[in-house]
Short mmCIF file of all heavy atoms in Angstrom, two decimals:
data_model
loop_
_atom_site.label_atom_id
_atom_site.label_comp_id
_atom_site.label_asym_id
_atom_site.label_seq_id
_atom_site.Cartn_x
_atom_site.Cartn_y
_atom_site.Cartn_z
N ILE A 11 0.67 -5.64 5.19
CA ILE A 11 1.05 -6.30 3.93
C ILE A 11 2.57 -6.43 3.82
O ILE A 11 3.09 -7.45 3.35
CB ILE A 11 0.43 -5.58 2.71
CG1 ILE A 11 0.82 -6.31 1.43
CG2 ILE A 11 0.80 -4.13 2.62
CD1 ILE A 11 0.10 -5.82 0.20
N ILE A 12 3.30 -5.41 4.29
CA ILE A 12 4.75 -5.44 4.14
C ILE A 12 5.36 -6.51 5.05
O ILE A 12 6.21 -7.31 4.61
CB ILE A 12 5.36 -4.04 4.42
CG1 ILE A 12 4.77 -3.01 3.42
CG2 ILE A 12 6.88 -4.07 4.35
CD1 ILE A 12 5.06 -3.25 1.96
N LEU A 15 4.31 -10.04 3.60
CA LEU A 15 5.02 -10.43 2.36
C LEU A 15 6.51 -10.67 2.63
O LEU A 15 7.13 -11.54 2.01
CB LEU A 15 4.85 -9.35 1.28
CG LEU A 15 3.53 -9.33 0.52
CD1 LEU A 15 3.47 -8.11 -0.40
CD2 LEU A 15 3.34 -10.60 -0.31
N SER A 40 -2.90 -1.39 5.76
CA SER A 40 -3.08 -2.39 4.70
C SER A 40 -4.54 -2.81 4.55
O SER A 40 -4.95 -3.29 3.50
CB SER A 40 -2.22 -3.63 4.99
OG SER A 40 -0.87 -3.24 5.08
N GLY A 43 -6.61 0.71 2.91
CA GLY A 43 -6.27 1.30 1.61
C GLY A 43 -7.24 0.93 0.49
O GLY A 43 -8.15 0.12 0.64
N GLY A 44 -6.99 1.57 -0.66
CA GLY A 44 -7.87 1.37 -1.80
C GLY A 44 -7.49 0.19 -2.68
O GLY A 44 -8.30 -0.31 -3.44
N GLY A 45 -6.24 -0.23 -2.60
CA GLY A 45 -5.81 -1.41 -3.35
C GLY A 45 -5.55 -1.17 -4.83
O GLY A 45 -5.53 -2.11 -5.63
N ILE A 46 -5.30 0.10 -5.21
CA ILE A 46 -4.98 0.36 -6.62
C ILE A 46 -3.54 -0.10 -6.86
O ILE A 46 -2.63 0.25 -6.10
CB ILE A 46 -5.10 1.87 -6.95
CG1 ILE A 46 -6.51 2.38 -6.60
CG2 ILE A 46 -4.80 2.13 -8.43
CD1 ILE A 46 -6.65 3.90 -6.71
N ILE A 47 -3.34 -0.89 -7.92
CA ILE A 47 -2.01 -1.45 -8.18
C ILE A 47 -1.26 -0.49 -9.12
O ILE A 47 -0.77 -0.87 -10.18
CB ILE A 47 -2.11 -2.88 -8.78
CG1 ILE A 47 -3.01 -3.76 -7.94
CG2 ILE A 47 -0.74 -3.55 -8.89
CD1 ILE A 47 -2.51 -4.05 -6.55
N SER A 48 -1.22 0.75 -8.71
CA SER A 48 -0.45 1.78 -9.42
C SER A 48 -0.38 3.01 -8.52
O SER A 48 -1.36 3.31 -7.83
CB SER A 48 -1.15 2.18 -10.73
OG SER A 48 -0.54 3.33 -11.29
N PRO A 49 0.75 3.71 -8.56
CA PRO A 49 0.73 5.02 -7.90
C PRO A 49 -0.29 5.91 -8.64
O PRO A 49 -0.50 5.73 -9.83
CB PRO A 49 2.16 5.56 -8.10
CG PRO A 49 2.99 4.35 -8.43
CD PRO A 49 2.07 3.40 -9.14
N LEU A 50 -0.91 6.84 -7.92
CA LEU A 50 -1.75 7.84 -8.59
C LEU A 50 -0.80 8.79 -9.30
O LEU A 50 0.18 9.23 -8.71
CB LEU A 50 -2.57 8.62 -7.56
CG LEU A 50 -3.47 7.79 -6.63
CD1 LEU A 50 -4.15 8.69 -5.60
CD2 LEU A 50 -4.52 7.02 -7.43
N PRO A 52 1.64 8.28 -11.73
CA PRO A 52 2.98 7.71 -11.52
C PRO A 52 4.12 8.60 -12.01
O PRO A 52 5.24 8.53 -11.50
CB PRO A 52 2.95 6.39 -12.31
CG PRO A 52 1.66 6.37 -13.05
CD PRO A 52 0.75 7.39 -12.47
N TYR A 55 6.26 10.58 -9.58
CA TYR A 55 7.16 9.87 -8.66
C TYR A 55 8.53 9.66 -9.29
O TYR A 55 8.69 9.75 -10.51
CB TYR A 55 6.56 8.50 -8.29
CG TYR A 55 5.41 8.61 -7.31
CD1 TYR A 55 4.12 8.76 -7.74
CD2 TYR A 55 5.65 8.58 -5.93
CE1 TYR A 55 3.05 8.87 -6.84
CE2 TYR A 55 4.61 8.68 -5.03
CZ TYR A 55 3.31 8.82 -5.49
OH TYR A 55 2.28 8.93 -4.59
N SER A 58 12.81 5.40 -8.79
CA SER A 58 12.95 4.36 -7.78
C SER A 58 11.58 3.82 -7.36
O SER A 58 11.42 2.60 -7.15
CB SER A 58 13.73 4.88 -6.56
OG SER A 58 13.15 6.05 -6.07
N VAL A 59 10.58 4.70 -7.26
CA VAL A 59 9.23 4.23 -6.91
C VAL A 59 8.62 3.48 -8.10
O VAL A 59 8.05 2.40 -7.95
CB VAL A 59 8.34 5.43 -6.48
CG1 VAL A 59 6.88 5.02 -6.36
CG2 VAL A 59 8.84 6.00 -5.15
N ASN A 60 8.79 4.03 -9.28
CA ASN A 60 8.21 3.38 -10.47
C ASN A 60 8.85 2.01 -10.77
O ASN A 60 8.18 1.12 -11.29
CB ASN A 60 8.33 4.30 -11.68
CG ASN A 60 7.18 5.31 -11.72
OD1 ASN A 60 6.02 4.91 -11.73
ND2 ASN A 60 7.49 6.59 -11.73
N ASP A 61 10.13 1.86 -10.44
CA ASP A 61 10.78 0.56 -10.66
C ASP A 61 10.16 -0.52 -9.77
O ASP A 61 9.91 -1.64 -10.20
CB ASP A 61 12.29 0.66 -10.39
CG ASP A 61 13.01 1.46 -11.46
OD1 ASP A 61 12.41 1.71 -12.53
OD2 ASP A 61 14.17 1.86 -11.23
N LEU A 62 9.94 -0.16 -8.51
CA LEU A 62 9.30 -1.12 -7.60
C LEU A 62 7.88 -1.43 -8.08
O LEU A 62 7.44 -2.59 -8.09
CB LEU A 62 9.22 -0.56 -6.17
CG LEU A 62 10.52 -0.44 -5.37
CD1 LEU A 62 10.27 0.31 -4.07
CD2 LEU A 62 11.13 -1.81 -5.05
N ALA A 63 7.17 -0.36 -8.50
CA ALA A 63 5.78 -0.55 -8.95
C ALA A 63 5.74 -1.49 -10.16
O ALA A 63 4.93 -2.42 -10.22
CB ALA A 63 5.15 0.79 -9.29
N ALA A 64 6.65 -1.26 -11.11
CA ALA A 64 6.63 -2.07 -12.35
C ALA A 64 6.89 -3.55 -12.03
O ALA A 64 6.23 -4.44 -12.57
CB ALA A 64 7.68 -1.54 -13.32
N TRP A 65 7.85 -3.81 -11.13
CA TRP A 65 8.15 -5.21 -10.78
C TRP A 65 6.94 -5.86 -10.12
O TRP A 65 6.55 -6.98 -10.45
CB TRP A 65 9.37 -5.25 -9.85
CG TRP A 65 9.96 -6.61 -9.72
CD1 TRP A 65 11.01 -7.11 -10.43
CD2 TRP A 65 9.54 -7.66 -8.82
NE1 TRP A 65 11.27 -8.41 -10.03
CE2 TRP A 65 10.38 -8.76 -9.06
CE3 TRP A 65 8.55 -7.77 -7.87
CZ2 TRP A 65 10.25 -9.96 -8.35
CZ3 TRP A 65 8.40 -8.97 -7.18
CH2 TRP A 65 9.25 -10.04 -7.41
N SER A 66 6.33 -5.12 -9.21
CA SER A 66 5.16 -5.67 -8.50
C SER A 66 3.99 -5.91 -9.44
O SER A 66 3.30 -6.93 -9.35
CB SER A 66 4.69 -4.70 -7.41
OG SER A 66 5.64 -4.55 -6.40
N GLN A 67 3.77 -4.94 -10.34
CA GLN A 67 2.62 -5.07 -11.25
C GLN A 67 2.71 -6.36 -12.07
O GLN A 67 1.72 -7.03 -12.31
CB GLN A 67 2.56 -3.85 -12.19
CG GLN A 67 1.98 -2.64 -11.49
CD GLN A 67 2.31 -1.32 -12.16
OE1 GLN A 67 3.21 -1.25 -13.00
NE2 GLN A 67 1.62 -0.26 -11.77
N GLN A 68 3.94 -6.71 -12.44
CA GLN A 68 4.12 -7.96 -13.20
C GLN A 68 3.83 -9.18 -12.35
O GLN A 68 3.40 -10.21 -12.84
CB GLN A 68 5.55 -8.04 -13.69
CG GLN A 68 5.79 -7.21 -14.93
CD GLN A 68 6.93 -7.79 -15.75
OE1 GLN A 68 7.84 -8.38 -15.18
NE2 GLN A 68 6.87 -7.63 -17.05
N SER A 69 4.13 -9.06 -11.06
CA SER A 69 4.01 -10.25 -10.21
C SER A 69 2.61 -10.43 -9.63
O SER A 69 2.27 -11.50 -9.14
CB SER A 69 5.04 -10.19 -9.08
OG SER A 69 4.62 -9.28 -8.10
N TYR A 70 1.77 -9.37 -9.67
CA TYR A 70 0.47 -9.47 -9.00
C TYR A 70 -0.45 -10.58 -9.52
O TYR A 70 -1.08 -11.27 -8.71
CB TYR A 70 -0.26 -8.12 -8.98
CG TYR A 70 -0.23 -7.51 -7.59
CD1 TYR A 70 0.61 -6.48 -7.27
CD2 TYR A 70 -1.03 -8.05 -6.57
CE1 TYR A 70 0.66 -5.96 -5.98
CE2 TYR A 70 -0.99 -7.54 -5.28
CZ TYR A 70 -0.14 -6.49 -5.00
OH TYR A 70 -0.09 -6.00 -3.72
N LEU A 73 0.85 -13.76 -8.00
CA LEU A 73 0.77 -13.70 -6.53
C LEU A 73 -0.68 -13.92 -6.08
O LEU A 73 -0.95 -14.72 -5.17
CB LEU A 73 1.28 -12.34 -6.03
CG LEU A 73 1.11 -12.07 -4.54
CD1 LEU A 73 1.96 -13.02 -3.70
CD2 LEU A 73 1.47 -10.62 -4.18
N TYR A 87 -7.99 -9.68 -7.56
CA TYR A 87 -7.16 -8.92 -8.51
C TYR A 87 -8.00 -8.67 -9.76
O TYR A 87 -8.48 -9.62 -10.38
CB TYR A 87 -5.89 -9.72 -8.85
CG TYR A 87 -5.06 -9.09 -9.94
CD1 TYR A 87 -4.14 -8.11 -9.63
CD2 TYR A 87 -5.21 -9.48 -11.27
CE1 TYR A 87 -3.37 -7.51 -10.63
CE2 TYR A 87 -4.45 -8.89 -12.27
CZ TYR A 87 -3.54 -7.91 -11.94
OH TYR A 87 -2.79 -7.32 -12.93
N TRP A 106 6.31 9.87 -19.73
CA TRP A 106 6.44 8.72 -18.81
C TRP A 106 5.98 7.43 -19.51
O TRP A 106 6.66 6.41 -19.46
CB TRP A 106 5.61 8.98 -17.55
CG TRP A 106 5.50 7.81 -16.64
CD1 TRP A 106 6.38 7.43 -15.67
CD2 TRP A 106 4.44 6.84 -16.62
NE1 TRP A 106 5.93 6.28 -15.04
CE2 TRP A 106 4.75 5.91 -15.61
CE3 TRP A 106 3.26 6.67 -17.34
CZ2 TRP A 106 3.93 4.81 -15.30
CZ3 TRP A 106 2.44 5.58 -17.04
CH2 TRP A 106 2.78 4.67 -16.03
N GLN A 112 4.39 2.11 -21.14
CA GLN A 112 3.11 1.86 -20.48
C GLN A 112 1.98 2.31 -21.40
O GLN A 112 2.09 3.34 -22.06
CB GLN A 112 3.02 2.67 -19.18
CG GLN A 112 4.04 2.28 -18.12
CD GLN A 112 3.74 0.93 -17.50
OE1 GLN A 112 2.60 0.64 -17.17
NE2 GLN A 112 4.76 0.11 -17.34
N VAL A 142 -4.30 -0.68 -15.59
CA VAL A 142 -4.24 -0.51 -14.12
C VAL A 142 -5.23 -1.45 -13.44
O VAL A 142 -6.39 -1.55 -13.82
CB VAL A 142 -4.51 0.97 -13.73
CG1 VAL A 142 -4.63 1.12 -12.23
CG2 VAL A 142 -3.38 1.86 -14.27
N ALA A 143 -4.73 -2.12 -12.42
CA ALA A 143 -5.54 -3.14 -11.73
C ALA A 143 -5.75 -2.73 -10.27
O ALA A 143 -5.23 -1.73 -9.80
CB ALA A 143 -4.82 -4.49 -11.80
N GLN A 144 -6.53 -3.53 -9.59
CA GLN A 144 -6.79 -3.30 -8.15
C GLN A 144 -6.90 -4.64 -7.44
O GLN A 144 -7.14 -5.69 -8.07
CB GLN A 144 -8.10 -2.55 -7.98
CG GLN A 144 -9.29 -3.28 -8.59
CD GLN A 144 -10.63 -2.84 -8.01
OE1 GLN A 144 -10.86 -2.94 -6.82
NE2 GLN A 144 -11.52 -2.37 -8.89
N VAL A 145 -6.71 -4.62 -6.14
CA VAL A 145 -7.06 -5.77 -5.29
C VAL A 145 -7.95 -5.24 -4.18
O VAL A 145 -8.02 -4.04 -3.94
CB VAL A 145 -5.82 -6.46 -4.65
CG1 VAL A 145 -5.03 -7.25 -5.66
CG2 VAL A 145 -4.95 -5.45 -3.91
N ASN A 147 -8.33 -4.90 -0.47
CA ASN A 147 -7.37 -4.98 0.64
C ASN A 147 -7.69 -6.01 1.71
O ASN A 147 -6.84 -6.83 2.05
CB ASN A 147 -7.21 -3.61 1.30
CG ASN A 147 -6.56 -2.62 0.39
OD1 ASN A 147 -6.94 -2.52 -0.77
ND2 ASN A 147 -5.58 -1.91 0.87
N LEU A 150 -6.98 -9.37 0.47
CA LEU A 150 -5.54 -9.61 0.24
C LEU A 150 -4.86 -9.94 1.57
O LEU A 150 -4.10 -10.91 1.66
CB LEU A 150 -4.89 -8.38 -0.39
CG LEU A 150 -3.38 -8.49 -0.59
CD1 LEU A 150 -3.05 -9.49 -1.69
CD2 LEU A 150 -2.76 -7.14 -0.94
N GLY A 305 7.75 9.58 -0.92
CA GLY A 305 7.12 8.25 -0.95
C GLY A 305 8.09 7.13 -1.28
O GLY A 305 7.68 6.04 -1.68
N PRO A 307 10.25 4.22 -0.17
CA PRO A 307 10.36 3.42 1.06
C PRO A 307 11.80 3.20 1.49
O PRO A 307 12.73 3.29 0.68
CB PRO A 307 9.71 2.09 0.66
CG PRO A 307 9.78 2.03 -0.83
CD PRO A 307 9.76 3.45 -1.32
N HIS A 324 6.18 3.20 2.82
CA HIS A 324 5.64 3.07 1.46
C HIS A 324 4.54 4.08 1.17
O HIS A 324 3.96 4.08 0.09
CB HIS A 324 5.13 1.63 1.25
CG HIS A 324 6.19 0.60 1.41
ND1 HIS A 324 6.67 0.21 2.64
CD2 HIS A 324 6.88 -0.12 0.49
CE1 HIS A 324 7.62 -0.69 2.47
NE2 HIS A 324 7.77 -0.91 1.18
N PHE A 325 4.24 4.89 2.12
CA PHE A 325 3.31 6.02 1.99
C PHE A 325 2.01 5.62 1.28
O PHE A 325 1.28 4.78 1.77
CB PHE A 325 4.02 7.18 1.29
CG PHE A 325 3.31 8.51 1.46
CD1 PHE A 325 2.40 8.73 2.50
CD2 PHE A 325 3.55 9.56 0.58
CE1 PHE A 325 1.75 9.95 2.66
CE2 PHE A 325 2.90 10.79 0.74
CZ PHE A 325 2.00 10.98 1.76
N ARG A 326 1.74 6.18 0.10
CA ARG A 326 0.44 5.96 -0.56
C ARG A 326 0.45 4.71 -1.43
O ARG A 326 -0.53 4.42 -2.11
CB ARG A 326 0.10 7.16 -1.46
CG ARG A 326 0.09 8.48 -0.77
CD ARG A 326 -0.57 9.56 -1.59
NE ARG A 326 -2.01 9.45 -1.53
CZ ARG A 326 -2.86 10.35 -2.03
NH1 ARG A 326 -2.39 11.41 -2.64
NH2 ARG A 326 -4.17 10.18 -1.94
N ASN A 327 1.58 3.95 -1.41
CA ASN A 327 1.75 2.90 -2.42
C ASN A 327 2.20 1.55 -1.89
O ASN A 327 2.81 0.79 -2.62
CB ASN A 327 2.75 3.41 -3.47
CG ASN A 327 2.24 4.63 -4.20
OD1 ASN A 327 1.12 4.62 -4.72
ND2 ASN A 327 3.02 5.70 -4.18
N GLY A 328 1.87 1.26 -0.64
CA GLY A 328 2.37 0.01 -0.06
C GLY A 328 1.84 -1.24 -0.74
O GLY A 328 2.52 -2.27 -0.78
N VAL A 329 0.63 -1.16 -1.27
CA VAL A 329 0.07 -2.35 -1.91
C VAL A 329 0.75 -2.58 -3.26
O VAL A 329 1.18 -3.70 -3.56
CB VAL A 329 -1.47 -2.22 -2.07
CG1 VAL A 329 -2.04 -3.44 -2.78
CG2 VAL A 329 -2.11 -2.05 -0.70
N VAL A 330 0.92 -1.51 -4.02
CA VAL A 330 1.56 -1.70 -5.34
C VAL A 330 3.07 -1.93 -5.20
O VAL A 330 3.64 -2.68 -5.99
CB VAL A 330 1.24 -0.54 -6.32
CG1 VAL A 330 1.54 0.81 -5.76
CG2 VAL A 330 2.02 -0.71 -7.62
N LEU A 331 3.70 -1.36 -4.20
CA LEU A 331 5.16 -1.55 -4.09
C LEU A 331 5.53 -2.81 -3.31
O LEU A 331 6.67 -3.27 -3.36
CB LEU A 331 5.82 -0.33 -3.42
CG LEU A 331 5.53 1.05 -4.02
CD1 LEU A 331 6.35 2.13 -3.31
CD2 LEU A 331 5.86 1.08 -5.52
N GLY A 332 4.56 -3.34 -2.56
CA GLY A 332 4.85 -4.42 -1.60
C GLY A 332 5.61 -5.62 -2.14
O GLY A 332 6.67 -5.96 -1.61
N PRO A 333 5.13 -6.28 -3.19
CA PRO A 333 5.82 -7.49 -3.64
C PRO A 333 7.29 -7.24 -3.98
O PRO A 333 8.17 -8.02 -3.57
CB PRO A 333 5.02 -7.92 -4.87
CG PRO A 333 3.63 -7.41 -4.59
CD PRO A 333 3.84 -6.10 -3.90
N ALA A 334 7.59 -6.16 -4.70
CA ALA A 334 8.98 -5.88 -5.07
C ALA A 334 9.80 -5.50 -3.85
O ALA A 334 10.94 -5.96 -3.67
CB ALA A 334 9.02 -4.75 -6.09
N SER A 335 9.22 -4.67 -3.00
CA SER A 335 9.93 -4.20 -1.82
C SER A 335 10.31 -5.37 -0.90
O SER A 335 11.43 -5.43 -0.36
CB SER A 335 8.99 -3.23 -1.09
OG SER A 335 9.52 -2.80 0.09
N CYS A 336 9.40 -6.31 -0.77
CA CYS A 336 9.66 -7.45 0.15
C CYS A 336 10.63 -8.45 -0.47
O CYS A 336 11.43 -9.05 0.24
CB CYS A 336 8.34 -8.08 0.56
SG CYS A 336 7.29 -6.87 1.41
N LEU A 350 16.34 -5.69 -7.74
CA LEU A 350 16.51 -4.32 -8.26
C LEU A 350 17.71 -3.73 -7.52
O LEU A 350 17.99 -4.14 -6.39
CB LEU A 350 15.29 -3.46 -7.94
CG LEU A 350 13.98 -3.72 -8.68
CD1 LEU A 350 12.84 -2.94 -8.02
CD2 LEU A 350 14.11 -3.33 -10.14
#
Side-chain angles (χ1 to χ4, degrees):
I11 181 171
I12 300 298
L15 281 174
S40 302
I46 304 172
I47 309 295
S48 170
L50 304 176
Y55 285 90
S58 53
V59 169
N60 277 303
D61 289 346
L62 289 172
W65 195 95
S66 295
Q67 282 160 345
Q68 280 207 329
S69 76
Y70 253 104
L73 174 66
Y87 173 85
W106 172 85
Q112 296 288 316
V142 172
Q144 58 159 301
V145 287
N147 293 46
L150 176 70
H324 300 75
F325 197 20
R326 304 194 78 172
N327 297 308
V329 178
V330 53
L331 306 185
S335 176
C336 300
L350 289 169

